[in-house]
Structures are given as structure tokens and as C-alpha cells.
Amino acid sequence: MIMAKGQIVSRMSILGHPIHPMLIHFPVAALLLLIATDIGYVLTGDFFWARAGVWLAGVGVVGGWVSGSVGLLDLIIVEQIRRLITAWCHAVLAVMLLSVATLNWFLRVGEPELLILPWGLYLSLLAGLLITVTSLLGGELVYDYAVGVSPDKMTERREHP
């Protein structure tokens, strides 16, 4: 395991707290819940699940693009982040994820239930897989490279590895 020698400070932060990790939880939750609503629609045929899916897809996409834009700014602005291959892999996978999620949302607007089977469910599952891999890389950036970790936590880390 690689452990950071010092913290990498996020420039996109509020009072030292990085914004990207604050924002990403909501779109991730929405896109993962979209899988459940798709399965709910497939099992029951109830239009409620299709309509809920449109809203979850929209929240996931809009929130994801906002959060991703903040993360991209950190990638571009902070040289220490730019040097990390893991950061670039995380960014590329996030763009792929957001592209899949955006297509999934656009397929649902207008007639939410029309394309849930097979394309909506397939794209939701693919997005779930991409979320898993992208999140693992994001976690590696925080826990292994200390991206956005406060100086106090870094002191604690050095004293008690």
C-alpha cells in the first residue's frame, strides 16, 4: 500500500473541506436506486416505478455533472492531483459513467416505461458497475494519496500509521 507523505489540498473546497466528495453521494445514490426502480417496473409493470426512474436518472445525471465538474476543476488546477494516474483513471471512468447515465435519462424522458426493457435496465446496471469501479479509484485517491485530507488527519496518520 502506498501512503501519502503529505496531504494534497483541494482548491475546490469550503473551509478546507473538498466539495467534490460532499456532492457525489447524492447522484451515486440516485443512480443506484435507479436499478431498483427498473427492477420494480419489470416485476410489477406499475408506471410509478418508471416515473420514479425518470426522476432518479435526472437527479443522478444533473448531480453527477455538477459534482464531476468540481472534481475536474481540482484535477486541472492542482498539479499534485494531475500527476496521479489514479486521478486520470477516476476522471475517465466518471465521464464514461456520466455519458451512460445521460443516455439512460434521455431514453426515459417523454415515455418513461417504453425502453426500460432491455435498454434502460441494461444501462442502469452498466452505470452501477461503473460507479463501483470509479468509487474504488476515488477511495484510493483519498485513502492512499490523501487527496483532500486535512492537515490534522495527516498528522494523526503519521503518528499512528
Side-chain angles (χ1 to χ4, degrees), residues 31-57:
L31 292 173
L32 290 176
L33 284 171
L34 180 57
I35 297 169
T37 60
D38 285 353
I39 292 170
Y41 178 77
V42 169
L43 294 177
T44 67
D46 187 345
F47 184 72
F48 166 80
W49 297 114
R51 187 176 49 235
V54 172
W55 284 97
L56 286 170

PDB file of all heavy atoms in Angstrom, residues 31-57:
ATOM      1  N   LEU A  31     -28.488   7.069  -8.844  1.00  0.00           N
ATOM      2  CA  LEU A  31     -28.238   6.132  -9.946  1.00  0.00           C
ATOM      3  C   LEU A  31     -28.287   4.678  -9.479  1.00  0.00           C
ATOM      4  O   LEU A  31     -28.698   3.791 -10.246  1.00  0.00           O
ATOM      5  CB  LEU A  31     -26.908   6.455 -10.627  1.00  0.00           C
ATOM      6  CG  LEU A  31     -26.899   7.784 -11.399  1.00  0.00           C
ATOM      7  CD1 LEU A  31     -25.503   8.109 -11.899  1.00  0.00           C
ATOM      8  CD2 LEU A  31     -27.906   7.781 -12.538  1.00  0.00           C
ATOM      9  N   LEU A  32     -27.895   4.411  -8.250  1.00  0.00           N
ATOM     10  CA  LEU A  32     -28.012   3.041  -7.732  1.00  0.00           C
ATOM     11  C   LEU A  32     -29.473   2.689  -7.446  1.00  0.00           C
ATOM     12  O   LEU A  32     -29.910   1.553  -7.704  1.00  0.00           O
ATOM     13  CB  LEU A  32     -27.141   2.864  -6.485  1.00  0.00           C
ATOM     14  CG  LEU A  32     -25.629   2.883  -6.745  1.00  0.00           C
ATOM     15  CD1 LEU A  32     -24.863   2.807  -5.438  1.00  0.00           C
ATOM     16  CD2 LEU A  32     -25.206   1.778  -7.690  1.00  0.00           C
ATOM     17  N   LEU A  33     -30.244   3.650  -6.947  1.00  0.00           N
ATOM     18  CA  LEU A  33     -31.674   3.405  -6.727  1.00  0.00           C
ATOM     19  C   LEU A  33     -32.423   3.217  -8.050  1.00  0.00           C
ATOM     20  O   LEU A  33     -33.457   2.551  -8.089  1.00  0.00           O
ATOM     21  CB  LEU A  33     -32.294   4.548  -5.927  1.00  0.00           C
ATOM     22  CG  LEU A  33     -31.972   4.546  -4.438  1.00  0.00           C
ATOM     23  CD1 LEU A  33     -32.445   5.836  -3.783  1.00  0.00           C
ATOM     24  CD2 LEU A  33     -32.589   3.344  -3.754  1.00  0.00           C
ATOM     25  N   LEU A  34     -31.890   3.784  -9.117  1.00  0.00           N
ATOM     26  CA  LEU A  34     -32.497   3.612 -10.442  1.00  0.00           C
ATOM     27  C   LEU A  34     -32.546   2.133 -10.832  1.00  0.00           C
ATOM     28  O   LEU A  34     -33.512   1.685 -11.455  1.00  0.00           O
ATOM     29  CB  LEU A  34     -31.715   4.426 -11.478  1.00  0.00           C
ATOM     30  CG  LEU A  34     -32.197   4.371 -12.920  1.00  0.00           C
ATOM     31  CD1 LEU A  34     -33.650   4.814 -13.031  1.00  0.00           C
ATOM     32  CD2 LEU A  34     -31.298   5.233 -13.795  1.00  0.00           C
ATOM     33  N   ILE A  35     -31.530   1.378 -10.453  1.00  0.00           N
ATOM     34  CA  ILE A  35     -31.534  -0.067 -10.718  1.00  0.00           C
ATOM     35  C   ILE A  35     -32.746  -0.699 -10.033  1.00  0.00           C
ATOM     36  O   ILE A  35     -33.459  -1.512 -10.634  1.00  0.00           O
ATOM     37  CB  ILE A  35     -30.221  -0.726 -10.231  1.00  0.00           C
ATOM     38  CG1 ILE A  35     -29.025  -0.169 -10.998  1.00  0.00           C
ATOM     39  CG2 ILE A  35     -30.301  -2.253 -10.364  1.00  0.00           C
ATOM     40  CD1 ILE A  35     -27.671  -0.563 -10.406  1.00  0.00           C
ATOM     41  N   ALA A  36     -32.991  -0.314  -8.797  1.00  0.00           N
ATOM     42  CA  ALA A  36     -34.120  -0.872  -8.042  1.00  0.00           C
ATOM     43  C   ALA A  36     -35.458  -0.494  -8.673  1.00  0.00           C
ATOM     44  O   ALA A  36     -36.366  -1.333  -8.759  1.00  0.00           O
ATOM     45  CB  ALA A  36     -34.063  -0.394  -6.587  1.00  0.00           C
ATOM     46  N   THR A  37     -35.603   0.751  -9.149  1.00  0.00           N
ATOM     47  CA  THR A  37     -36.869   1.143  -9.760  1.00  0.00           C
ATOM     48  C   THR A  37     -37.080   0.421 -11.092  1.00  0.00           C
ATOM     49  O   THR A  37     -38.212   0.068 -11.429  1.00  0.00           O
ATOM     50  CB  THR A  37     -36.985   2.667  -9.968  1.00  0.00           C
ATOM     51  OG1 THR A  37     -35.937   3.123 -10.817  1.00  0.00           O
ATOM     52  CG2 THR A  37     -36.960   3.404  -8.640  1.00  0.00           C
ATOM     53  N   ASP A  38     -36.003   0.189 -11.832  1.00  0.00           N
ATOM     54  CA  ASP A  38     -36.128  -0.571 -13.084  1.00  0.00           C
ATOM     55  C   ASP A  38     -36.590  -1.997 -12.800  1.00  0.00           C
ATOM     56  O   ASP A  38     -37.482  -2.510 -13.473  1.00  0.00           O
ATOM     57  CB  ASP A  38     -34.792  -0.607 -13.837  1.00  0.00           C
ATOM     58  CG  ASP A  38     -34.467   0.708 -14.515  1.00  0.00           C
ATOM     59  OD1 ASP A  38     -35.323   1.619 -14.526  1.00  0.00           O
ATOM     60  OD2 ASP A  38     -33.344   0.826 -15.055  1.00  0.00           O
ATOM     61  N   ILE A  39     -35.994  -2.614 -11.800  1.00  0.00           N
ATOM     62  CA  ILE A  39     -36.400  -3.974 -11.425  1.00  0.00           C
ATOM     63  C   ILE A  39     -37.840  -3.961 -10.917  1.00  0.00           C
ATOM     64  O   ILE A  39     -38.635  -4.846 -11.255  1.00  0.00           O
ATOM     65  CB  ILE A  39     -35.423  -4.573 -10.389  1.00  0.00           C
ATOM     66  CG1 ILE A  39     -34.059  -4.811 -11.050  1.00  0.00           C
ATOM     67  CG2 ILE A  39     -35.977  -5.864  -9.795  1.00  0.00           C
ATOM     68  CD1 ILE A  39     -32.943  -5.173 -10.098  1.00  0.00           C
ATOM     69  N   GLY A  40     -38.192  -2.934 -10.129  1.00  0.00           N
ATOM     70  CA  GLY A  40     -39.574  -2.798  -9.655  1.00  0.00           C
ATOM     71  C   GLY A  40     -40.557  -2.708 -10.810  1.00  0.00           C
ATOM     72  O   GLY A  40     -41.609  -3.351 -10.800  1.00  0.00           O
ATOM     73  N   TYR A  41     -40.215  -1.945 -11.839  1.00  0.00           N
ATOM     74  CA  TYR A  41     -41.096  -1.828 -13.007  1.00  0.00           C
ATOM     75  C   TYR A  41     -41.193  -3.155 -13.761  1.00  0.00           C
ATOM     76  O   TYR A  41     -42.286  -3.573 -14.157  1.00  0.00           O
ATOM     77  CB  TYR A  41     -40.622  -0.726 -13.958  1.00  0.00           C
ATOM     78  CG  TYR A  41     -41.500  -0.641 -15.173  1.00  0.00           C
ATOM     79  CD1 TYR A  41     -42.747  -0.023 -15.095  1.00  0.00           C
ATOM     80  CD2 TYR A  41     -41.120  -1.212 -16.374  1.00  0.00           C
ATOM     81  CE1 TYR A  41     -43.589   0.026 -16.197  1.00  0.00           C
ATOM     82  CE2 TYR A  41     -41.954  -1.173 -17.479  1.00  0.00           C
ATOM     83  CZ  TYR A  41     -43.178  -0.554 -17.381  1.00  0.00           C
ATOM     84  OH  TYR A  41     -44.023  -0.523 -18.468  1.00  0.00           O
ATOM     85  N   VAL A  42     -40.055  -3.827 -13.946  1.00  0.00           N
ATOM     86  CA  VAL A  42     -40.052  -5.107 -14.663  1.00  0.00           C
ATOM     87  C   VAL A  42     -40.909  -6.138 -13.925  1.00  0.00           C
ATOM     88  O   VAL A  42     -41.665  -6.884 -14.547  1.00  0.00           O
ATOM     89  CB  VAL A  42     -38.610  -5.621 -14.865  1.00  0.00           C
ATOM     90  CG1 VAL A  42     -38.588  -7.061 -15.351  1.00  0.00           C
ATOM     91  CG2 VAL A  42     -37.852  -4.717 -15.833  1.00  0.00           C
ATOM     92  N   LEU A  43     -40.820  -6.165 -12.620  1.00  0.00           N
ATOM     93  CA  LEU A  43     -41.567  -7.160 -11.834  1.00  0.00           C
ATOM     94  C   LEU A  43     -43.056  -6.847 -11.707  1.00  0.00           C
ATOM     95  O   LEU A  43     -43.879  -7.764 -11.647  1.00  0.00           O
ATOM     96  CB  LEU A  43     -40.949  -7.306 -10.441  1.00  0.00           C
ATOM     97  CG  LEU A  43     -39.544  -7.901 -10.388  1.00  0.00           C
ATOM     98  CD1 LEU A  43     -39.022  -7.909  -8.962  1.00  0.00           C
ATOM     99  CD2 LEU A  43     -39.505  -9.300 -10.989  1.00  0.00           C
ATOM    100  N   THR A  44     -43.398  -5.552 -11.648  1.00  0.00           N
ATOM    101  CA  THR A  44     -44.797  -5.203 -11.374  1.00  0.00           C
ATOM    102  C   THR A  44     -45.534  -4.582 -12.562  1.00  0.00           C
ATOM    103  O   THR A  44     -46.756  -4.630 -12.615  1.00  0.00           O
ATOM    104  CB  THR A  44     -44.895  -4.212 -10.195  1.00  0.00           C
ATOM    105  OG1 THR A  44     -44.311  -2.966 -10.594  1.00  0.00           O
ATOM    106  CG2 THR A  44     -44.228  -4.757  -8.948  1.00  0.00           C
ATOM    107  N   GLY A  45     -44.801  -3.959 -13.467  1.00  0.00           N
ATOM    108  CA  GLY A  45     -45.442  -3.238 -14.567  1.00  0.00           C
ATOM    109  C   GLY A  45     -46.108  -1.948 -14.113  1.00  0.00           C
ATOM    110  O   GLY A  45     -46.800  -1.280 -14.888  1.00  0.00           O
ATOM    111  N   ASP A  46     -45.903  -1.553 -12.861  1.00  0.00           N
ATOM    112  CA  ASP A  46     -46.515  -0.347 -12.300  1.00  0.00           C
ATOM    113  C   ASP A  46     -45.777   0.894 -12.809  1.00  0.00           C
ATOM    114  O   ASP A  46     -44.566   1.026 -12.640  1.00  0.00           O
ATOM    115  CB  ASP A  46     -46.449  -0.424 -10.767  1.00  0.00           C
ATOM    116  CG  ASP A  46     -47.209   0.686 -10.071  1.00  0.00           C
ATOM    117  OD1 ASP A  46     -47.564   1.703 -10.727  1.00  0.00           O
ATOM    118  OD2 ASP A  46     -47.460   0.543  -8.863  1.00  0.00           O
ATOM    119  N   PHE A  47     -46.529   1.809 -13.425  1.00  0.00           N
ATOM    120  CA  PHE A  47     -45.961   3.023 -14.004  1.00  0.00           C
ATOM    121  C   PHE A  47     -45.254   3.891 -12.965  1.00  0.00           C
ATOM    122  O   PHE A  47     -44.353   4.655 -13.304  1.00  0.00           O
ATOM    123  CB  PHE A  47     -47.046   3.839 -14.709  1.00  0.00           C
ATOM    124  CG  PHE A  47     -46.520   5.050 -15.421  1.00  0.00           C
ATOM    125  CD1 PHE A  47     -45.788   4.920 -16.586  1.00  0.00           C
ATOM    126  CD2 PHE A  47     -46.754   6.316 -14.913  1.00  0.00           C
ATOM    127  CE1 PHE A  47     -45.293   6.035 -17.243  1.00  0.00           C
ATOM    128  CE2 PHE A  47     -46.269   7.447 -15.560  1.00  0.00           C
ATOM    129  CZ  PHE A  47     -45.534   7.299 -16.734  1.00  0.00           C
ATOM    130  N   PHE A  48     -45.616   3.765 -11.692  1.00  0.00           N
ATOM    131  CA  PHE A  48     -44.957   4.518 -10.621  1.00  0.00           C
ATOM    132  C   PHE A  48     -43.442   4.332 -10.685  1.00  0.00           C
ATOM    133  O   PHE A  48     -42.683   5.283 -10.549  1.00  0.00           O
ATOM    134  CB  PHE A  48     -45.477   4.070  -9.246  1.00  0.00           C
ATOM    135  CG  PHE A  48     -44.608   4.547  -8.109  1.00  0.00           C
ATOM    136  CD1 PHE A  48     -44.731   5.845  -7.636  1.00  0.00           C
ATOM    137  CD2 PHE A  48     -43.657   3.709  -7.537  1.00  0.00           C
ATOM    138  CE1 PHE A  48     -43.918   6.296  -6.605  1.00  0.00           C
ATOM    139  CE2 PHE A  48     -42.846   4.163  -6.508  1.00  0.00           C
ATOM    140  CZ  PHE A  48     -42.965   5.457  -6.038  1.00  0.00           C
ATOM    141  N   TRP A  49     -42.994   3.083 -10.878  1.00  0.00           N
ATOM    142  CA  TRP A  49     -41.560   2.788 -10.895  1.00  0.00           C
ATOM    143  C   TRP A  49     -40.875   3.437 -12.088  1.00  0.00           C
ATOM    144  O   TRP A  49     -39.748   3.922 -11.977  1.00  0.00           O
ATOM    145  CB  TRP A  49     -41.312   1.287 -10.867  1.00  0.00           C
ATOM    146  CG  TRP A  49     -41.809   0.652  -9.619  1.00  0.00           C
ATOM    147  CD1 TRP A  49     -42.830  -0.243  -9.502  1.00  0.00           C
ATOM    148  CD2 TRP A  49     -41.317   0.876  -8.288  1.00  0.00           C
ATOM    149  NE1 TRP A  49     -43.013  -0.589  -8.183  1.00  0.00           N
ATOM    150  CE2 TRP A  49     -42.093   0.087  -7.417  1.00  0.00           C
ATOM    151  CE3 TRP A  49     -40.316   1.664  -7.753  1.00  0.00           C
ATOM    152  CZ2 TRP A  49     -41.890   0.060  -6.048  1.00  0.00           C
ATOM    153  CZ3 TRP A  49     -40.104   1.643  -6.389  1.00  0.00           C
ATOM    154  CH2 TRP A  49     -40.880   0.848  -5.553  1.00  0.00           C
ATOM    155  N   ALA A  50     -41.545   3.462 -13.223  1.00  0.00           N
ATOM    156  CA  ALA A  50     -40.974   4.102 -14.412  1.00  0.00           C
ATOM    157  C   ALA A  50     -40.840   5.612 -14.196  1.00  0.00           C
ATOM    158  O   ALA A  50     -39.817   6.211 -14.538  1.00  0.00           O
ATOM    159  CB  ALA A  50     -41.846   3.806 -15.633  1.00  0.00           C
ATOM    160  N   ARG A  51     -41.882   6.218 -13.624  1.00  0.00           N
ATOM    161  CA  ARG A  51     -41.851   7.663 -13.356  1.00  0.00           C
ATOM    162  C   ARG A  51     -40.778   7.996 -12.313  1.00  0.00           C
ATOM    163  O   ARG A  51     -40.036   8.966 -12.456  1.00  0.00           O
ATOM    164  CB  ARG A  51     -43.230   8.139 -12.898  1.00  0.00           C
ATOM    165  CG  ARG A  51     -43.321   9.643 -12.763  1.00  0.00           C
ATOM    166  CD  ARG A  51     -44.711  10.138 -12.399  1.00  0.00           C
ATOM    167  NE  ARG A  51     -45.254   9.400 -11.270  1.00  0.00           N
ATOM    168  CZ  ARG A  51     -46.429   8.762 -11.286  1.00  0.00           C
ATOM    169  NH1 ARG A  51     -47.174   8.766 -12.360  1.00  0.00           N
ATOM    170  NH2 ARG A  51     -46.856   8.123 -10.220  1.00  0.00           N
ATOM    171  N   ALA A  52     -40.691   7.180 -11.264  1.00  0.00           N
ATOM    172  CA  ALA A  52     -39.642   7.398 -10.248  1.00  0.00           C
ATOM    173  C   ALA A  52     -38.260   7.271 -10.883  1.00  0.00           C
ATOM    174  O   ALA A  52     -37.337   8.021 -10.542  1.00  0.00           O
ATOM    175  CB  ALA A  52     -39.804   6.400  -9.106  1.00  0.00           C
ATOM    176  N   GLY A  53     -38.120   6.345 -11.828  1.00  0.00           N
ATOM    177  CA  GLY A  53     -36.850   6.147 -12.509  1.00  0.00           C
ATOM    178  C   GLY A  53     -36.403   7.364 -13.301  1.00  0.00           C
ATOM    179  O   GLY A  53     -35.220   7.700 -13.327  1.00  0.00           O
ATOM    180  N   VAL A  54     -37.360   8.041 -13.942  1.00  0.00           N
ATOM    181  CA  VAL A  54     -37.017   9.264 -14.686  1.00  0.00           C
ATOM    182  C   VAL A  54     -36.431  10.302 -13.746  1.00  0.00           C
ATOM    183  O   VAL A  54     -35.414  10.935 -14.048  1.00  0.00           O
ATOM    184  CB  VAL A  54     -38.249   9.852 -15.411  1.00  0.00           C
ATOM    185  CG1 VAL A  54     -37.934  11.206 -16.007  1.00  0.00           C
ATOM    186  CG2 VAL A  54     -38.725   8.919 -16.488  1.00  0.00           C
ATOM    187  N   TRP A  55     -37.054  10.476 -12.594  1.00  0.00           N
ATOM    188  CA  TRP A  55     -36.577  11.461 -11.629  1.00  0.00           C
ATOM    189  C   TRP A  55     -35.225  11.067 -11.050  1.00  0.00           C
ATOM    190  O   TRP A  55     -34.333  11.909 -10.907  1.00  0.00           O
ATOM    191  CB  TRP A  55     -37.604  11.667 -10.516  1.00  0.00           C
ATOM    192  CG  TRP A  55     -38.742  12.502 -10.997  1.00  0.00           C
ATOM    193  CD1 TRP A  55     -39.952  12.063 -11.451  1.00  0.00           C
ATOM    194  CD2 TRP A  55     -38.740  13.919 -11.130  1.00  0.00           C
ATOM    195  NE1 TRP A  55     -40.720  13.127 -11.846  1.00  0.00           N
ATOM    196  CE2 TRP A  55     -40.000  14.290 -11.666  1.00  0.00           C
ATOM    197  CE3 TRP A  55     -37.815  14.910 -10.856  1.00  0.00           C
ATOM    198  CZ2 TRP A  55     -40.343  15.600 -11.920  1.00  0.00           C
ATOM    199  CZ3 TRP A  55     -38.165  16.231 -11.097  1.00  0.00           C
ATOM    200  CH2 TRP A  55     -39.410  16.558 -11.623  1.00  0.00           C
ATOM    201  N   LEU A  56     -35.050   9.795 -10.724  1.00  0.00           N
ATOM    202  CA  LEU A  56     -33.756   9.347 -10.190  1.00  0.00           C
ATOM    203  C   LEU A  56     -32.649   9.507 -11.229  1.00  0.00           C
ATOM    204  O   LEU A  56     -31.534   9.935 -10.905  1.00  0.00           O
ATOM    205  CB  LEU A  56     -33.848   7.893  -9.722  1.00  0.00           C
ATOM    206  CG  LEU A  56     -34.614   7.676  -8.425  1.00  0.00           C
ATOM    207  CD1 LEU A  56     -34.851   6.184  -8.190  1.00  0.00           C
ATOM    208  CD2 LEU A  56     -33.882   8.299  -7.250  1.00  0.00           C
ATOM    209  N   ALA A  57     -32.959   9.166 -12.475  1.00  0.00           N
ATOM    210  CA  ALA A  57     -31.964   9.333 -13.546  1.00  0.00           C
ATOM    211  C   ALA A  57     -31.591  10.808 -13.698  1.00  0.00           C
ATOM    212  O   ALA A  57     -30.412  11.145 -13.829  1.00  0.00           O
ATOM    213  CB  ALA A  57     -32.502   8.767 -14.859  1.00  0.00           C
TER     214      ALA A  57
END
